[in-house]
Amino acid sequence: ARGREEAEEEGEGGAAPKAKKAKKKRKPRLPKGYDASKPGGGLPPPDPERWLPKWQRSDVKKKQRRRRDRQETVKGSQGAGKVDEALDRAAKAERGEEPDKAKQGP
């Protein structure tokens, strides 16, 4: 591998050296509603909670609290929830009551 210096030396002694191409200046990408004449670009300041970790932000804490409250009602698998005694046929049989007979088709 040849170094940069060696390549430059060959360019001087040989044919006409290549002119360096000027890089195009990229147009800056600005937010919608930006006005350079106003301080801060005329945009509202960013939310101060933006730089906090997500678990410390107030809106995320509210969502976590809601989720926790919802989970307290039913814990466990699908059938582990509260059972309505009126619908429990096994419990009716144990108490000596006759279970409701379901209507059967013709």
Coordinates of all heavy atoms in Angstrom, one line a residue:
A1 N 0.8 -1.2 0.0 CA 0.0 0.0 0.0 C 0.9 1.2 0.0 O 1.8 1.4 0.8 CB -0.9 0.0 1.2
R2 N 0.6 2.1 -0.9 CA 1.4 3.3 -1.0 C 0.8 4.4 -0.2 O -0.5 4.5 -0.1 CB 1.5 3.8 -2.5 CG 2.2 2.8 -3.4 CD 2.5 3.3 -4.7 NE 1.3 3.7 -5.4 CZ 1.2 4.2 -6.6 NH1 2.4 4.5 -7.2 NH2 0.1 4.6 -7.2
G3 N 1.6 5.3 0.3 CA 1.1 6.4 1.2 C 0.6 7.5 0.3 O 0.8 7.6 -0.9
R4 N 0.0 8.5 0.9 CA -0.5 9.6 0.2 C 0.6 10.5 -0.4 O 0.5 11.0 -1.4 CB -1.3 10.5 1.2 CG -2.0 11.7 0.6 CD -2.7 12.5 1.6 NE -4.1 12.1 1.5 CZ -5.1 12.6 2.3 NH1 -4.8 13.4 3.2 NH2 -6.3 12.3 2.1
E5 N 1.7 10.6 0.4 CA 2.9 11.4 -0.1 C 3.4 10.9 -1.4 O 3.8 11.7 -2.3 CB 3.9 11.4 1.0 CG 3.5 12.1 2.3 CD 4.5 11.9 3.4 OE1 5.6 11.4 3.2 OE2 4.1 12.3 4.6
E6 N 3.6 9.6 -1.5 CA 4.1 9.0 -2.7 C 3.2 9.3 -3.9 O 3.7 9.6 -5.0 CB 4.3 7.5 -2.6 CG 5.4 7.1 -1.6 CD 5.4 5.6 -1.4 OE1 5.1 4.9 -2.3 OE2 5.9 5.1 -0.3
A7 N 1.9 9.2 -3.7 CA 1.0 9.5 -4.8 C 1.1 10.9 -5.2 O 0.9 11.2 -6.4 CB -0.4 9.1 -4.4
E8 N 1.3 11.8 -4.3 CA 1.4 13.3 -4.6 C 2.6 13.5 -5.4 O 2.6 14.4 -6.4 CB 1.3 14.1 -3.4 CG -0.1 14.1 -2.7 CD 0.0 14.9 -1.4 OE1 1.0 15.5 -1.1 OE2 -1.1 15.0 -0.7
E9 N 3.7 12.9 -5.1 CA 5.0 13.1 -5.8 C 4.9 12.7 -7.3 O 5.4 13.4 -8.1 CB 6.1 12.3 -5.1 CG 6.5 12.9 -3.8 CD 7.5 12.1 -3.0 OE1 8.1 11.1 -3.7 OE2 7.7 12.3 -1.8
E10 N 4.2 11.6 -7.5 CA 4.0 11.1 -8.9 C 3.2 12.1 -9.7 O 3.4 12.3 -10.9 CB 3.4 9.7 -8.9 CG 4.3 8.6 -8.4 CD 3.7 7.3 -8.4 OE1 2.6 7.1 -9.0 OE2 4.2 6.3 -7.8
G11 N 2.2 12.7 -9.0 CA 1.3 13.6 -9.7 C 2.0 14.9 -10.1 O 1.8 15.4 -11.2
E12 N 3.0 15.3 -9.4 CA 3.8 16.5 -9.8 C 4.6 16.3 -11.0 O 4.7 17.1 -11.9 CB 4.7 16.9 -8.6 CG 3.8 17.4 -7.4 CD 4.7 17.7 -6.2 OE1 6.0 17.7 -6.3 OE2 4.2 18.0 -5.1
G13 N 5.3 15.1 -11.1 CA 6.2 14.9 -12.2 C 5.5 14.4 -13.4 O 6.0 14.6 -14.5
G14 N 4.4 13.9 -13.4 CA 3.7 13.3 -14.5 C 2.8 14.3 -15.3 O 3.2 15.5 -15.4
A15 N 1.7 13.9 -15.7 CA 0.7 14.7 -16.4 C 0.2 15.8 -15.6 O 0.5 15.9 -14.4 CB -0.4 13.8 -17.0
A16 N -0.7 16.6 -16.1 CA -1.3 17.7 -15.4 C -2.0 17.2 -14.2 O -2.8 16.3 -14.2 CB -2.3 18.5 -16.3
P17 N -1.8 17.9 -13.0 CA -2.4 17.4 -11.8 C -3.9 17.7 -11.8 O -4.4 18.7 -12.4 CB -1.7 18.2 -10.7 CG -1.2 19.4 -11.3 CD -0.9 19.0 -12.8
K18 N -4.7 16.8 -11.1 CA -6.2 17.0 -11.1 C -6.5 18.1 -10.1 O -5.9 18.2 -9.0 CB -6.9 15.7 -10.7 CG -6.8 14.6 -11.7 CD -7.5 13.4 -11.1 CE -7.4 12.3 -12.1 NZ -8.1 11.1 -11.6
A19 N -7.4 19.0 -10.5 CA -7.8 20.1 -9.7 C -8.8 19.5 -8.6 O -9.6 18.6 -9.0 CB -8.5 21.2 -10.4
K20 N -8.7 19.9 -7.4 CA -9.6 19.4 -6.3 C -11.0 19.9 -6.5 O -11.2 21.1 -6.8 CB -9.1 19.8 -4.9 CG -7.9 19.0 -4.5 CD -7.6 19.3 -3.0 CE -6.5 18.5 -2.5 NZ -6.3 18.7 -1.1
K21 N -12.0 19.0 -6.4 CA -13.3 19.4 -6.6 C -13.9 20.1 -5.3 O -13.7 19.6 -4.3 CB -14.2 18.2 -6.9 CG -15.0 18.3 -8.2 CD -15.8 17.0 -8.3 CE -16.5 17.0 -9.7 NZ -17.3 15.9 -9.9
A22 N -14.5 21.2 -5.5 CA -15.0 21.9 -4.3 C -16.3 21.2 -3.9 O -17.2 20.8 -4.7 CB -15.4 23.3 -4.6
K23 N -16.4 20.9 -2.6 CA -17.6 20.2 -2.1 C -18.8 21.2 -2.1 O -18.6 22.3 -1.7 CB -17.4 19.7 -0.7 CG -16.5 18.5 -0.6 CD -16.5 17.9 0.8 CE -15.6 16.7 0.8 NZ -15.6 16.1 2.1
K24 N -20.0 20.7 -2.4 CA -21.2 21.5 -2.4 C -21.6 21.7 -1.0 O -21.6 20.7 -0.2 CB -22.3 20.8 -3.2 CG -22.1 20.8 -4.7 CD -23.2 20.1 -5.4 CE -23.0 20.0 -6.8 NZ -24.1 19.3 -7.5
K25 N -22.0 22.9 -0.6 CA -22.5 23.1 0.7 C -23.9 22.6 0.8 O -24.8 23.0 0.0 CB -22.4 24.6 1.0 CG -22.7 24.9 2.5 CD -22.4 26.3 2.9 CE -22.7 26.5 4.3 NZ -22.5 27.9 4.8
R26 N -24.2 21.8 1.8 CA -25.5 21.2 2.0 C -26.4 22.2 2.6 O -26.0 22.9 3.6 CB -25.4 20.0 2.9 CG -26.7 19.2 2.9 CD -26.5 17.9 3.7 NE -25.7 17.0 2.9 CZ -25.2 15.8 3.3 NH1 -25.4 15.5 4.5 NH2 -24.5 15.0 2.5
K27 N -27.6 22.3 2.1 CA -28.6 23.2 2.7 C -29.1 22.7 4.0 O -29.4 21.5 4.2 CB -29.8 23.3 1.7 CG -30.7 24.5 2.0 CD -31.8 24.6 0.9 CE -32.6 25.8 1.1 NZ -33.7 25.9 0.1
P28 N -29.1 23.6 5.1 CA -29.4 23.1 6.4 C -30.9 22.7 6.5 O -31.8 23.3 5.9 CB -29.2 24.3 7.3 CG -29.2 25.5 6.4 CD -28.7 25.0 5.1
R29 N -31.1 21.6 7.2 CA -32.5 21.1 7.3 C -33.1 21.7 8.7 O -32.6 21.3 9.7 CB -32.5 19.6 7.4 CG -33.8 19.0 7.2 CD -33.7 17.5 6.9 NE -35.0 16.9 6.8 CZ -35.2 15.7 6.8 NH1 -34.3 14.8 7.1 NH2 -36.5 15.2 6.7
L30 N -34.1 22.5 8.6 CA -34.6 23.2 9.7 C -36.0 22.7 10.0 O -36.8 22.2 9.1 CB -34.7 24.7 9.5 CG -33.3 25.3 9.2 CD1 -33.5 26.7 8.7 CD2 -32.4 25.2 10.4
P31 N -36.5 22.8 11.3 CA -37.8 22.3 11.6 C -38.9 23.2 11.0 O -38.7 24.3 10.7 CB -37.9 22.4 13.2 CG -36.7 23.3 13.5 CD -35.7 23.2 12.5
K32 N -40.1 22.6 10.9 CA -41.3 23.3 10.4 C -41.6 24.5 11.2 O -41.6 24.4 12.5 CB -42.5 22.4 10.3 CG -43.6 22.9 9.5 CD -44.8 22.0 9.6 CE -44.8 21.0 8.5 NZ -46.0 20.1 8.5
G33 N -41.8 25.7 10.7 CA -42.2 26.9 11.4 C -41.0 27.6 11.9 O -41.1 28.5 12.8
Y34 N -39.7 27.3 11.5 CA -38.5 27.9 12.0 C -38.4 29.3 11.4 O -38.6 29.5 10.2 CB -37.3 27.1 11.6 CG -36.0 27.6 12.1 CD1 -35.6 27.4 13.4 CD2 -35.2 28.4 11.3 CE1 -34.4 27.9 13.9 CE2 -34.0 28.9 11.7 CZ -33.6 28.7 13.0 OH -32.4 29.2 13.5
D35 N -38.1 30.3 12.2 CA -37.9 31.6 11.8 C -36.5 32.1 12.3 O -36.4 32.3 13.5 CB -39.0 32.5 12.2 CG -38.9 33.9 11.6 OD1 -38.0 34.2 10.7 OD2 -39.7 34.8 12.0
A36 N -35.5 32.3 11.5 CA -34.2 32.7 11.9 C -34.1 34.0 12.6 O -33.2 34.3 13.4 CB -33.2 32.6 10.7
S37 N -35.1 34.9 12.3 CA -35.1 36.3 12.8 C -35.5 36.3 14.3 O -35.2 37.2 15.0 CB -36.0 37.2 12.0 OG -37.4 36.7 12.2
K38 N -36.2 35.2 14.8 CA -36.7 35.2 16.2 C -35.7 34.4 17.0 O -35.0 33.5 16.5 CB -38.1 34.5 16.2 CG -39.1 35.3 15.5 CD -40.5 34.6 15.6 CE -41.6 35.4 14.9 NZ -42.8 34.7 14.9
P39 N -35.6 34.8 18.3 CA -34.7 34.0 19.2 C -35.2 32.6 19.4 O -36.4 32.4 19.6 CB -34.7 34.8 20.5 CG -35.9 35.6 20.5 CD -36.2 35.9 19.0
G40 N -34.4 31.6 19.3 CA -34.8 30.2 19.4 C -35.5 29.7 18.2 O -36.2 28.7 18.2
G41 N -35.5 30.5 17.1 CA -36.2 30.1 15.9 C -37.7 30.3 15.9 O -38.4 29.9 15.0
G42 N -38.2 30.9 17.0 CA -39.6 31.1 17.1 C -40.4 29.8 17.4 O -41.6 29.7 17.3
L43 N -39.6 28.8 17.9 CA -40.2 27.6 18.3 C -40.3 27.5 19.8 O -39.5 28.1 20.6 CB -39.4 26.4 17.8 CG -39.2 26.3 16.3 CD1 -38.2 25.3 15.9 CD2 -40.5 26.0 15.6
P44 N -41.3 26.7 20.4 CA -41.4 26.6 21.8 C -40.2 25.8 22.4 O -39.6 25.0 21.6 CB -42.7 25.8 22.0 CG -42.9 25.1 20.7 CD -42.3 25.9 19.7
P45 N -39.8 26.0 23.6 CA -38.6 25.3 24.2 C -39.0 23.8 24.3 O -40.2 23.4 24.5 CB -38.4 25.9 25.5 CG -39.7 26.6 25.9 CD -40.3 27.0 24.6
P46 N -38.0 22.9 24.2 CA -38.3 21.5 24.3 C -38.7 21.1 25.7 O -38.4 21.8 26.7 CB -37.0 20.8 24.0 CG -36.0 21.8 24.2 CD -36.6 23.1 23.9
D47 N -39.5 20.0 25.8 CA -40.0 19.5 27.1 C -38.8 19.2 28.1 O -37.9 18.5 27.7 CB -40.8 18.3 26.9 CG -41.4 17.7 28.2 OD1 -41.6 18.5 29.1 OD2 -41.7 16.5 28.2
P48 N -38.7 19.8 29.3 CA -37.6 19.6 30.1 C -37.5 18.1 30.6 O -36.4 17.7 30.9 CB -37.8 20.5 31.4 CG -39.3 20.8 31.3 CD -39.7 20.7 29.9
E49 N -38.5 17.3 30.5 CA -38.5 15.9 30.9 C -37.8 15.1 29.8 O -37.6 13.9 30.0 CB -39.9 15.4 31.2 CG -40.4 15.9 32.5 CD -41.7 15.1 32.9 OE1 -42.2 14.3 32.1 OE2 -42.1 15.3 34.1
R50 N -37.6 15.7 28.6 CA -37.0 15.0 27.5 C -35.7 14.3 27.8 O -35.4 13.3 27.3 CB -36.9 16.0 26.4 CG -36.3 15.4 25.1 CD -36.2 16.4 24.1 NE -35.6 15.9 22.9 CZ -35.5 16.6 21.7 NH1 -35.9 17.9 21.7 NH2 -34.9 16.1 20.7
W51 N -34.9 14.9 28.7 CA -33.6 14.5 29.0 C -33.5 13.5 30.2 O -32.5 13.0 30.6 CB -32.6 15.6 29.2 CG -32.4 16.3 27.9 CD1 -31.4 16.0 27.0 CD2 -33.1 17.4 27.3 NE1 -31.5 16.8 25.9 CE2 -32.5 17.7 26.0 CE3 -34.2 18.1 27.7 CZ2 -33.0 18.7 25.2 CZ3 -34.7 19.1 26.8 CH2 -34.1 19.4 25.6
L52 N -34.7 13.3 30.8 CA -34.8 12.3 31.9 C -34.9 10.9 31.4 O -35.5 10.7 30.3 CB -36.0 12.7 32.8 CG -35.9 13.9 33.7 CD1 -37.2 14.1 34.4 CD2 -34.8 13.8 34.7
P53 N -34.5 9.9 32.1 CA -34.7 8.6 31.7 C -36.2 8.3 31.7 O -37.0 8.9 32.5 CB -34.1 7.7 32.8 CG -33.1 8.6 33.5 CD -33.6 10.0 33.3
K54 N -36.7 7.4 30.9 CA -38.1 7.2 30.7 C -38.9 6.9 32.0 O -40.0 7.3 32.2 CB -38.4 6.2 29.6 CG -39.2 6.7 28.5 CD -39.5 5.6 27.5 CE -40.3 6.2 26.4 NZ -40.6 5.3 25.3
W55 N -38.2 6.1 32.8 CA -38.9 5.6 34.0 C -39.1 6.7 35.1 O -39.8 6.6 36.0 CB -38.1 4.4 34.7 CG -36.7 4.8 35.1 CD1 -35.6 4.7 34.3 CD2 -36.3 5.2 36.4 NE1 -34.5 5.1 35.0 CE2 -34.9 5.3 36.3 CE3 -36.9 5.4 37.6 CZ2 -34.1 5.7 37.4 CZ3 -36.2 5.8 38.7 CH2 -34.8 6.0 38.6
Q56 N -38.4 7.9 34.9 CA -38.5 9.0 35.8 C -39.5 10.1 35.3 O -39.8 11.0 36.0 CB -37.1 9.7 36.0 CG -36.2 8.9 36.8 CD -34.9 9.6 37.0 OE1 -34.6 10.6 36.4 NE2 -34.0 9.0 37.9
R57 N -40.0 9.9 34.0 CA -40.9 10.9 33.5 C -42.3 10.8 34.1 O -42.7 9.7 34.3 CB -41.0 10.8 31.9 CG -39.6 11.0 31.3 CD -39.7 10.9 29.8 NE -38.4 10.7 29.2 CZ -38.1 10.5 28.0 NH1 -39.1 10.5 27.1 NH2 -36.9 10.4 27.5
S58 N -43.0 11.9 34.3 CA -44.3 11.9 35.0 C -45.3 11.2 34.1 O -46.1 10.4 34.7 CB -44.7 13.3 35.3 OG -44.9 14.0 34.1
D59 N -45.4 11.4 32.8 CA -46.4 10.8 32.0 C -46.2 9.2 31.9 O -47.2 8.5 31.9 CB -46.5 11.4 30.6 CG -45.1 11.3 29.9 OD1 -44.1 11.2 30.5 OD2 -45.2 11.2 28.6
V60 N -45.0 8.8 31.9 CA -44.8 7.3 31.9 C -45.1 6.7 33.3 O -45.7 5.6 33.3 CB -43.3 7.0 31.6 CG1 -43.0 5.5 31.7 CG2 -43.0 7.5 30.2
K61 N -44.9 7.5 34.4 CA -45.3 7.0 35.7 C -46.8 6.8 35.8 O -47.3 5.8 36.4 CB -44.8 7.9 36.8 CG -43.3 7.8 37.0 CD -42.9 8.6 38.2 CE -41.5 8.3 38.6 NZ -41.1 9.0 39.8
K62 N -47.6 7.7 35.2 CA -49.0 7.6 35.2 C -49.5 6.4 34.5 O -50.4 5.7 34.9 CB -49.6 8.9 34.5 CG -49.5 10.1 35.4 CD -50.1 11.3 34.6 CE -49.8 12.6 35.3 NZ -50.3 13.8 34.5
K63 N -48.9 6.1 33.3 CA -49.2 4.9 32.5 C -48.9 3.6 33.3 O -49.7 2.7 33.3 CB -48.5 4.9 31.2 CG -49.0 6.0 30.3 CD -48.2 6.0 29.0 CE -48.6 7.1 28.1 NZ -47.8 7.2 26.9
Q64 N -47.7 3.6 34.0 CA -47.4 2.5 34.8 C -48.4 2.3 35.9 O -48.7 1.1 36.2 CB -46.0 2.7 35.4 CG -44.9 2.5 34.4 CD -43.5 2.9 35.0 OE1 -43.4 3.5 36.0 NE2 -42.4 2.5 34.3
R65 N -48.8 3.3 36.6 CA -49.8 3.2 37.7 C -51.1 2.7 37.2 O -51.7 1.8 37.8 CB -50.0 4.6 38.3 CG -50.7 4.6 39.6 CD -50.7 5.9 40.3 NE -49.4 6.5 40.4 CZ -49.1 7.8 40.0 NH1 -50.0 8.5 39.4 NH2 -47.9 8.2 40.2
R66 N -51.5 3.1 36.0 CA -52.8 2.6 35.4 C -52.7 1.1 35.1 O -53.6 0.3 35.4 CB -53.1 3.4 34.1 CG -53.8 4.7 34.4 CD -54.4 5.2 33.1 NE -54.2 6.7 33.1 CZ -53.7 7.4 32.2 NH1 -53.3 6.9 31.0 NH2 -53.6 8.7 32.3
R67 N -51.5 0.7 34.6 CA -51.3 -0.7 34.2 C -51.3 -1.5 35.5 O -51.9 -2.6 35.5 CB -50.0 -0.8 33.4 CG -49.8 -2.2 33.0 CD -48.6 -2.4 32.2 NE -48.7 -1.7 30.9 CZ -47.6 -1.2 30.2 NH1 -46.4 -1.4 30.7 NH2 -47.8 -0.6 29.1
R68 N -50.7 -1.0 36.5 CA -50.6 -1.8 37.8 C -52.0 -1.9 38.4 O -52.3 -3.0 38.9 CB -49.6 -1.0 38.7 CG -49.3 -1.8 40.0 CD -48.3 -1.1 40.9 NE -48.8 0.2 41.2 CZ -48.1 1.3 41.0 NH1 -46.9 1.3 40.4 NH2 -48.5 2.5 41.4
D69 N -52.8 -0.9 38.4 CA -54.1 -1.0 38.9 C -55.0 -2.0 38.1 O -55.8 -2.7 38.7 CB -54.8 0.4 38.9 CG -54.1 1.4 39.9 OD1 -53.4 0.9 40.8 OD2 -54.4 2.6 39.7
R70 N -54.8 -2.0 36.8 CA -55.6 -2.9 36.0 C -55.2 -4.4 36.3 O -56.0 -5.3 36.3 CB -55.3 -2.6 34.5 CG -56.3 -3.2 33.6 CD -56.2 -2.9 32.2 NE -55.6 -1.6 31.9 CZ -54.6 -1.4 31.0 NH1 -54.1 -2.4 30.3 NH2 -54.1 -0.2 30.8
Q71 N -53.9 -4.6 36.6 CA -53.4 -6.0 36.8 C -53.8 -6.5 38.2 O -53.9 -7.7 38.4 CB -51.9 -6.0 36.7 CG -51.4 -5.9 35.3 CD -49.9 -5.9 35.2 OE1 -49.2 -5.8 36.2 NE2 -49.3 -6.1 34.0
E72 N -54.1 -5.6 39.1 CA -54.5 -6.0 40.4 C -55.8 -6.7 40.4 O -56.1 -7.6 41.3 CB -54.5 -4.9 41.4 CG -53.2 -4.4 41.8 CD -53.2 -3.2 42.7 OE1 -54.3 -2.8 43.1 OE2 -52.1 -2.7 43.1
T73 N -56.7 -6.4 39.5 CA -58.0 -7.0 39.5 C -58.0 -8.5 39.2 O -58.6 -9.3 39.8 CB -58.9 -6.3 38.4 OG1 -58.3 -6.4 37.2 CG2 -59.2 -4.9 38.8
V74 N -57.2 -8.9 38.2 CA -57.1 -10.3 37.8 C -55.6 -10.7 37.7 O -54.9 -10.1 36.9 CB -57.7 -10.6 36.5 CG1 -57.6 -12.1 36.1 CG2 -59.2 -10.3 36.5
K75 N -55.2 -11.6 38.6 CA -53.8 -12.1 38.5 C -53.8 -13.6 38.2 O -54.7 -14.3 38.7 CB -53.1 -11.8 39.8 CG -52.8 -10.4 40.0 CD -51.9 -10.2 41.2 CE -51.5 -8.7 41.3 NZ -50.7 -8.4 42.5
G76 N -52.9 -14.0 37.5 CA -52.8 -15.5 37.1 C -53.3 -15.7 35.7 O -53.4 -14.8 34.9
S77 N -53.6 -17.0 35.5 CA -54.0 -17.3 34.1 C -55.4 -16.9 33.9 O -56.1 -16.4 34.7 CB -53.8 -18.8 33.9 OG -54.6 -19.5 34.8
Q78 N -55.9 -17.3 32.7 CA -57.2 -16.8 32.3 C -58.4 -17.2 33.2 O -59.3 -16.5 33.5 CB -57.5 -17.3 30.9 CG -58.8 -16.8 30.3 CD -59.0 -17.2 28.8 OE1 -58.1 -17.8 28.3 NE2 -60.1 -17.0 28.3
G79 N -58.3 -18.5 33.7 CA -59.4 -18.9 34.6 C -59.2 -18.6 36.0 O -60.0 -19.1 36.9
A80 N -58.2 -17.9 36.4 CA -57.9 -17.7 37.8 C -58.7 -16.5 38.4 O -58.5 -16.2 39.6 CB -56.4 -17.4 38.0
G81 N -59.5 -15.8 37.6 CA -60.2 -14.7 38.1 C -61.4 -15.0 39.0 O -61.5 -16.2 39.4
K82 N -62.1 -14.1 39.4 CA -63.3 -14.2 40.3 C -64.4 -15.1 39.6 O -64.7 -14.8 38.4 CB -63.8 -12.9 40.6 CG -64.7 -12.8 41.8 CD -65.0 -11.4 42.1 CE -65.7 -11.2 43.5 NZ -66.0 -9.8 43.7
V83 N -64.9 -16.1 40.3 CA -65.9 -16.9 39.7 C -67.3 -16.5 40.2 O -67.5 -16.3 41.4 CB -65.7 -18.4 40.0 CG1 -66.8 -19.3 39.5 CG2 -64.3 -18.8 39.5
D84 N -68.2 -16.3 39.3 CA -69.6 -16.0 39.6 C -70.3 -17.3 40.1 O -70.4 -18.3 39.4 CB -70.3 -15.4 38.4 CG -71.7 -14.9 38.8 OD1 -72.0 -14.8 40.0 OD2 -72.5 -14.5 37.9
E85 N -70.7 -17.3 41.4 CA -71.3 -18.5 42.0 C -72.6 -18.9 41.3 O -72.9 -20.1 41.3 CB -71.5 -18.3 43.5 CG -70.2 -18.1 44.3 CD -69.3 -19.2 44.2 OE1 -69.7 -20.4 44.2 OE2 -68.0 -19.0 44.2
A86 N -73.3 -18.0 40.8 CA -74.6 -18.4 40.1 C -74.3 -19.2 38.9 O -75.2 -20.0 38.5 CB -75.3 -17.1 39.7
L87 N -73.2 -19.1 38.3 CA -72.9 -19.9 37.1 C -72.1 -21.2 37.3 O -71.9 -22.0 36.4 CB -72.1 -19.0 36.1 CG -72.7 -17.7 35.7 CD1 -71.8 -16.9 34.8 CD2 -74.0 -18.0 34.9
D88 N -71.7 -21.4 38.6 CA -70.8 -22.5 38.9 C -71.7 -23.7 39.2 O -72.3 -23.9 40.2 CB -70.0 -22.2 40.1 CG -68.9 -23.2 40.4 OD1 -68.8 -24.2 39.5 OD2 -68.1 -23.1 41.3
R89 N -71.8 -24.7 38.2 CA -72.7 -25.9 38.4 C -72.1 -26.8 39.4 O -72.9 -27.5 40.1 CB -72.8 -26.6 37.0 CG -73.5 -25.8 36.0 CD -73.7 -26.6 34.8 NE -74.6 -25.9 33.9 CZ -75.0 -26.4 32.7 NH1 -74.6 -27.6 32.3 NH2 -75.7 -25.7 31.9
A90 N -70.8 -26.9 39.6 CA -70.3 -27.9 40.5 C -70.6 -27.4 42.0 O -71.0 -28.2 42.8 CB -68.8 -27.9 40.4
A91 N -70.6 -26.1 42.2 CA -70.9 -25.6 43.5 C -72.4 -25.8 43.8 O -72.8 -26.1 45.0 CB -70.6 -24.1 43.6
K92 N -73.3 -25.7 42.9 CA -74.7 -25.9 43.1 C -75.0 -27.4 43.4 O -75.8 -27.7 44.3 CB -75.5 -25.5 41.8 CG -75.7 -24.0 41.6 CD -76.6 -23.8 40.5 CE -76.8 -22.3 40.3 NZ -77.7 -22.0 39.2
A93 N -74.2 -28.3 42.7 CA -74.4 -29.7 43.0 C -74.0 -30.0 44.4 O -74.6 -30.9 45.1 CB -73.6 -30.5 42.0
E94 N -72.9 -29.4 44.9 CA -72.4 -29.7 46.3 C -73.4 -29.2 47.3 O -73.6 -29.8 48.4 CB -71.1 -29.0 46.5 CG -69.9 -29.6 45.8 CD -68.6 -28.8 45.9 OE1 -68.6 -27.9 46.7 OE2 -67.7 -29.2 45.2
R95 N -74.1 -28.1 47.0 CA -75.1 -27.5 48.0 C -76.4 -28.2 47.9 O -77.3 -28.0 48.7 CB -75.3 -26.0 47.6 CG -74.1 -25.2 48.1 CD -74.4 -23.7 47.8 NE -74.2 -23.6 46.3 CZ -74.3 -22.4 45.7 NH1 -74.6 -21.3 46.3 NH2 -74.0 -22.3 44.4
G96 N -76.6 -29.1 46.9 CA -77.8 -29.9 46.8 C -78.9 -29.2 45.9 O -80.0 -29.7 45.8
E97 N -78.5 -28.1 45.3 CA -79.4 -27.4 44.4 C -79.4 -28.1 43.0 O -78.4 -28.7 42.6 CB -79.1 -25.9 44.2 CG -79.1 -25.1 45.5 CD -78.6 -23.7 45.3 OE1 -78.6 -23.2 44.2 OE2 -78.2 -23.1 46.3
E98 N -80.5 -28.0 42.3 CA -80.5 -28.6 40.9 C -79.9 -27.6 40.0 O -80.3 -26.4 40.0 CB -81.9 -28.9 40.5 CG -82.5 -30.2 41.1 CD -83.8 -30.6 40.4 OE1 -83.9 -30.4 39.2 OE2 -84.6 -31.1 41.1
P99 N -78.9 -28.0 39.2 CA -78.3 -27.1 38.2 C -79.4 -26.8 37.1 O -80.2 -27.6 36.8 CB -77.1 -27.8 37.7 CG -77.3 -29.2 38.0 CD -78.2 -29.3 39.2
D100 N -79.3 -25.6 36.6 CA -80.3 -25.2 35.5 C -80.0 -26.1 34.3 O -78.9 -26.3 33.9 CB -80.1 -23.7 35.1 CG -80.4 -22.8 36.3 OD1 -81.2 -23.2 37.2 OD2 -79.8 -21.7 36.3
K101 N -81.1 -26.6 33.8 CA -80.9 -27.4 32.6 C -80.9 -26.5 31.3 O -81.7 -25.7 31.2 CB -82.1 -28.4 32.5 CG -82.1 -29.3 33.6 CD -82.7 -30.6 33.3 CE -82.6 -31.5 34.5 NZ -82.9 -32.9 34.2
A102 N -79.9 -26.7 30.6 CA -79.7 -25.9 29.3 C -80.7 -26.4 28.3 O -81.0 -27.6 28.2 CB -78.3 -26.0 28.8
K103 N -81.3 -25.5 27.5 CA -82.2 -25.8 26.5 C -81.5 -26.6 25.4 O -80.4 -26.1 24.9 CB -82.9 -24.6 25.9 CG -83.8 -23.9 26.9 CD -84.4 -22.7 26.2 CE -85.3 -21.9 27.1 NZ -85.9 -20.8 26.5
Q104 N -82.0 -27.7 25.0 CA -81.4 -28.5 24.0 C -82.2 -28.4 22.7 O -83.5 -28.4 22.8 CB -81.2 -29.9 24.4 CG -80.2 -30.1 25.5 CD -80.0 -31.6 25.9 OE1 -80.6 -32.4 25.3 NE2 -79.1 -31.8 26.8
G105 N -81.6 -28.3 21.6 CA -82.3 -28.2 20.3 C -83.0 -29.5 19.9 O -82.8 -30.6 20.5
P106 N -83.9 -29.5 18.9 CA -84.7 -30.7 18.5 C -83.9 -31.7 17.9 O -82.8 -31.7 17.5 CB -85.7 -30.1 17.5 CG -85.3 -28.8 17.1 CD -84.3 -28.3 18.2

